[in-house]
Amino acid sequence: MNAPVIEVGILSAPSISFKLNGRFISSTGEEIANEERTVTLSDVKDTLEFAPLDPDTASFELFHVVIGVQFHWEREETQRFNGKLKLFVEGDKITAVNILLVEDYLLSVISSEMSATSSLELLKAHSVISRSWLLAQIEKCRDVARRVSTEEYKTLIKTDEGYIRWYDREDHTHFDVCADDHCQRYQGITRITAPQVAEALKATSGQVLTYNGKVCDARFYKSCGGITESFENVWEPVKHPYLTQVIDNEAVPAGYDTDLTNEEHARKWILSNPPAYCNTHDTKVLSQVLNDYDRETQDFYRWEVKLTQAEIKDLLFRKLGIDVGDVLDLIPVERGVSGRLIRLKIVGSKSTIIIGKELEIRKALSESHLYSSAFVVEKEGDAFALKGAGWGHGVGLCQIGAAIMASKGIAYQDILTHYFPNAELEKIY
Ligand SMILES: [Zn+2]
Ligand SMILES: [Zn+2]
């Protein structure tokens, strides 16, 4: 297999302005060097492509790229890219896509995701899972695109008593990934890339995790809370034997039953402080994984959030558009293997509703979202205390746990085997 390329959707607008630095050839056969252009709908019939003639030195700049969409700091900037520029018409807009080598794309995204102080073994582990995730997504998107005409890719199940929703990758059909947080934030070569990331990518070049000959859908998040979650409890009901329960420790912590689908066991686990790789306050290691470490919390392994009845009522109304009346109780209905809630019953004075899966629960009970859905509820007068564990969906690699493992001198292959049981490390290009 040759080193694969990826198509990244950068922006959509009625017209696209860009500058080609170096020599390019367009799909209409025109040779262009060092030129600034604005392309409107009438210029792009179907698609228009600009390929660099000297790929090592040429780059292009896109103007007015909107970043921080939906954040209060949303702004426009100019971004620079390697590889090809593809423009195509979608409705009454032109979409600009960057086509580049997967390894170049990974260098950019891992450099902005990880701190420059990260250890090499951690960066190697991350290189393998980011590469695996990406190639698996490309495959999955093309699958979904193929299926779309006959059968809808479902992410919402409505029943009489509520709805169960998950958020995944159903919405890109004309390119592989977008440049936003929805997929992975990608800002071209505008930002400086880290030499350690380049080293880690080179050392693991073409290596991916596979299961049964297929590239693994390798996922990651900040902290599992001591035990990792199964894929099907967070996303669509498909079992992946390499995304299953893992005790994030050298051994099963003494005195616990780790079947956390059981409410009593989950309660004991979440309300105590069992040992785990990600149960740490090691600031040196944490600053490797948390890019904005100074501004982030240190209470991620075990955390607590208090909400009044009125606050929950308001959140449910604004975020889910449901009015249950006064919120009387929050009752766990179903938990996954890490203790994360899959279904939560909200008992109100007007109606009772069940919501899920984990991200929907996290969004419904917080202005942004809760650290995780692994929490227990304690009533305190007219307020609810949510006492929780971990940060993120909990499926796959625990970034903080992996950083601790790497700091103990554990090799990246062993870190990957720990978080992705049953998966194999394979070099596919
Ligand atoms: Zn996306
Ligand atoms: Zn962990």
Side-chain angles (χ1 to χ4, degrees):
M1 182 177 174
N2 288 326
V5 294
I6 181 167
E7 305 203 357
V8 191
I10 309 293
L11 85 149
S12 252
S15 74
I16 304 276
S17 297
F18 57 93
K19 182 169 182 248
L20 303 173
N21 303 308
R23 295 191 308 134
F24 281 76
I25 185 145
S26 79
S27 48
T28 57
E30 187 189 2
E31 214 181 296
I32 311 150
N34 304 312
E35 210 184 291
E36 214 173 295
R37 283 202 181 180
T38 296
V39 163
T40 57
L41 279 169
S42 56
D43 302 316
V44 187
K45 296 229 160 38
D46 185 18
T47 65
L48 188 55
E49 230 175 81
F50 299 89
L53 288 168
D54 317 298
D56 292 339
T57 54
S59 66
F60 67 87
E61 286 165 83
L62 275 177
F63 303 117
H64 313 298
V65 178
V66 183
I67 59 166
V69 182
Q70 291 167 0
F71 291 94
H72 57 86
W73 48 270
E74 178 173 322
R75 63 171 183 269
E76 287 185 357
E77 65 172 27
T78 298
Q79 292 184 349
R80 203 153 63 85
F81 301 89
N82 281 141
K84 286 188 203 172
L85 169 64
K86 177 170 136 184
L87 305 169
F88 68 90
V89 178
E90 217 175 1
D92 55 358
K93 284 183 174 172
I94 302 171
T95 298
V97 172
N98 181 201
I99 304 176
L100 76 166
L101 286 169
V102 159
E103 298 296 316
D104 291 343
Y105 170 81
L106 290 173
L107 177 60
S108 172
V109 294
I110 299 175
S111 292
S112 51
E113 165 90 24
M114 304 292 282
S115 152
T117 61
S118 298
S119 69
L120 191 58
E121 287 311 294
L122 177 64
L123 290 174
K124 285 184 194 168
H126 228 286
S127 297
V128 173
I129 58 166
S130 293
R131 187 183 293 113
S132 306
W133 179 83
L134 192 65
L135 296 178
Q137 296 321 301
I138 294 174
E139 189 55 31
K140 192 169 170 182
C141 273
R142 290 173 190 172
D143 266 4
V144 171
R146 275 197 292 272
R147 260 190 301 155
V148 107
S149 52
T150 49
E151 159 198 357
E152 200 97 12
Y153 175 77
K154 257 203 289 187
T155 58
L156 175 68
I157 298 170
K158 262 196 166 140
T159 66
D160 289 346
E161 47 181 11
Y163 57 90
I164 305 301
R165 185 198 301 253
W166 61 93
Y167 295 84
D168 212 11
R169 323 193 20 79
E170 66 281 11
D171 43 4
H172 304 319
T173 45
H174 295 99
F175 44 82
D176 300 316
V177 291
C178 69
D180 265 325
D181 286 338
H182 171 263
C183 289
Q184 229 173 336
R185 196 180 306 172
Y186 169 62
Q187 298 165 318
I189 49 172
T190 315
R191 305 280 180 282
I192 295 163
T193 53
Q196 303 92 308
V197 176
E199 191 182 341
L201 281 167
K202 203 165 163 237
T204 63
S205 174
Q207 289 181 15
V208 291
L209 292 171
T210 61
Y211 178 78
N212 258 349
K214 267 188 95 174
V215 178
C216 293
D217 189 354
R219 310 247 166 166
F220 63 89
Y221 52 87
K222 294 284 195 301
S223 162
C224 64
I227 295 181
T228 76
E229 189 50 73
S230 291
F231 179 89
E232 69 274 18
N233 292 333
V234 174
W235 293 288
E236 67 264 30
V238 175
K239 276 193 198 290
H240 296 293
Y242 56 87
L243 295 175
T244 181
Q245 190 194 49
V246 171
I247 310 293
D248 197 17
N249 197 39
E250 281 155 35
V252 178
Y256 294 96
D257 189 318
T258 55
D259 174 13
L260 300 193
T261 60
N262 174 294
E263 188 60 28
E264 220 173 290
H265 301 160
R267 209 177 162 79
K268 180 179 176 188
W269 180 263
I270 293 168
L271 292 177
S272 61
N273 194 30
Y277 288 124
C278 60
N279 184 357
T280 182
H281 284 95
D282 185 331
T283 52
K284 214 174 138 231
V285 175
L286 287 174
S287 65
Q288 295 183 14
V289 184
L290 310 178
N291 236 339
D292 301 317
Y293 179 62
D294 301 338
R295 281 178 280 146
E296 309 263 27
T297 180
Q298 285 202 42
D299 300 322
F300 53 83
Y301 189 70
R302 292 294 178 268
W303 48 263
E304 185 173 337
V305 169
K306 277 204 175 93
L307 292 167
T308 64
Q309 274 186 326
E311 281 169 330
I312 298 177
K313 181 181 176 180
D314 174 56
L315 280 167
L316 292 173
F317 190 68
R318 279 190 296 118
K319 304 200 72 174
L320 300 185
I322 48 177
D323 179 12
V324 295
D326 291 328
V327 177
L328 306 176
D329 210 352
L330 301 172
I331 303 169
V333 178
E334 186 187 3
R335 289 186 190 272
V337 293
S338 73
R340 280 171 175 76
L341 281 166
I342 303 172
R343 293 192 294 150
L344 175 72
K345 186 189 277 188
I346 299 165
V347 181
S349 57
K350 285 189 197 165
S351 64
T352 291
I353 184 172
I354 291 176
I355 61 167
K357 297 183 176 182
E358 66 94 34
L359 189 55
E360 189 74 349
I361 295 170
R362 289 165 67 194
K363 284 182 168 190
L365 294 176
S366 165
E367 211 50 68
S368 53
H369 40 277
L370 290 173
Y371 278 115
S372 83
S373 75
F375 60 83
V376 295
V377 182
E378 287 181 353
K379 274 208 253 183
E380 297 177 354
D382 73 339
F384 294 90
L386 311 184
K387 298 183 176 178
W391 184 0
H393 52 68
V395 178
L397 181 131
C398 170
Q399 285 181 303
I400 292 168
I404 291 289
M405 288 180 83
S407 77
K408 290 176 188 279
I410 297 172
Y412 80 97
Q413 294 94 332
D414 297 328
I415 296 174
L416 293 171
T417 306
H418 171 69
Y419 289 110
F420 301 93
N422 307 308
E424 279 177 60
L425 186 62
E426 241 187 283
K427 185 170 165 65
I428 58 165
Y429 60 86

